Amino acid sequence: MWREAAWLMVLLLLFHQICAAKDDEEHLCPPSSCGKITNIKEPFRLQGDPENCGHKSYELGCENNVSVLYLLSAKYQVEAINYKNYTVRVVDPALQHHNCSSLPLHSLSRSNFSDTYSYHNNLYQAGLSAYDNWESLNFEHIVFLNCKHSVKENRKYVESGECVKWDSEGYAYAVSGDLKAEDFEVGCDVKLVAPTSLRSLNYDSYTAIHRGLAYGFEISWVNLACQKISCSMFSCYFDSKSQNLACSSDGGRRTGSDLEGEGGKKEIGEIEE
Ligand SMILES: *[C@@H]1O[C@H](CO)[C@@H](O)[C@H](O)[C@H]1NC(C)=O
Ligand SMILES: *[C@@H]1O[C@H](CO)[C@@H](O)[C@H](O)[C@H]1NC(C)=O
Ligand SMILES: *[C@@H]1O[C@H](CO)[C@@H](O)[C@H](O)[C@H]1NC(C)=O
Ligand SMILES: *[C@@H]1O[C@H](CO)[C@@H](O)[C@H](O)[C@H]1NC(C)=O
């Protein structure tokens, strides 16, 4: 019994030393820059940066003067990195502004982030809480459907006709938000799902939906950021109101309204960068 405890102590000490060393190194790394992204720094690093800079798993590429982020099986163009709220906004490289026929190369939805069997899913979250994809981050799904018949009666179904056609026979639609069972029309196939984080978008024309897709979507590294603070039995999340990491005792938290009550929530001071 004491043997395990001793080993644990040794490991903890080692871990602390590694972390301390890492903090020292961070100060030796000036921000890197590629194209319009000029603030690449810890936890990120740019390909070719000195080895001690940033985390290897948060390495960005630089292709044709564009910063590139590798996410799951795909790569995305980096639009902005926000160190204050631990988010990075990315966009699928196939999406072109003002070309409503351009579509994302890859399907991506909240569920891609909750596959616990893939190590890489731990790098980014589709939410602002460390261990669940809690919906405080604006991460809205756009679902592309191809239907055998025309769907006129459901206003959520926006025709993408002129812009996107899946085959000559079907009727092509895009729906924003999650498809509830009652919204699902018989004879419709899901062709593609892609996220957007553009707020207060008017989703009743396909041009507007496409604008949302081309704006891109935010993902967060709150899971990593949360390793810097200790919430003990509380769970850690980014509190948009105070713009700080915070601890909450309500592990099963699912909706924003739960947050309004105090619910054991306690604020942690500004985390130094
Ligand atoms: C790379 O992008 C930056 C910022 O958009 C621009 O100022 C610069 O001229 C570009 N360089 C090349 C070689 O295209
Ligand atoms: C997300 O999951 C879907 C379904 O498993 C898969 O087809 C898609 O390629 C995944 N997206 C990325 C970017 O890996
Ligand atoms: C618009 O996007 C479509 C689909 O990717 C592509 O085939 C077409 O060439 C693009 N049009 C222009 C003007 O770039
Ligand atoms: C994070 O900060 C950026 C820049 O201020 C802002 O555009 C974005 O909406 C913020 N995201 C969240 C989830 O607070």
Side-chain angles (χ1 to χ4, degrees), residues 6 21 35 37 42 44 62 86 121 151 154 161 168 173 182 195 240 261 268:
I37 308 300
E42 165 74 27
F44 294 97
C62 187
Y86 310 99
N121 287 329
V151 181
N154 192 330
S168 52
Y173 296 97
E182 69 261 29
S240 305
I268 301 287

Side-chain angles (χ1 to χ4, degrees), residues 82 85 87 128 137 199 218:
N82 301 298
N85 58 21
T87 65
L128 288 174
L137 194 69
R199 282 160 218 268
E218 286 174 347

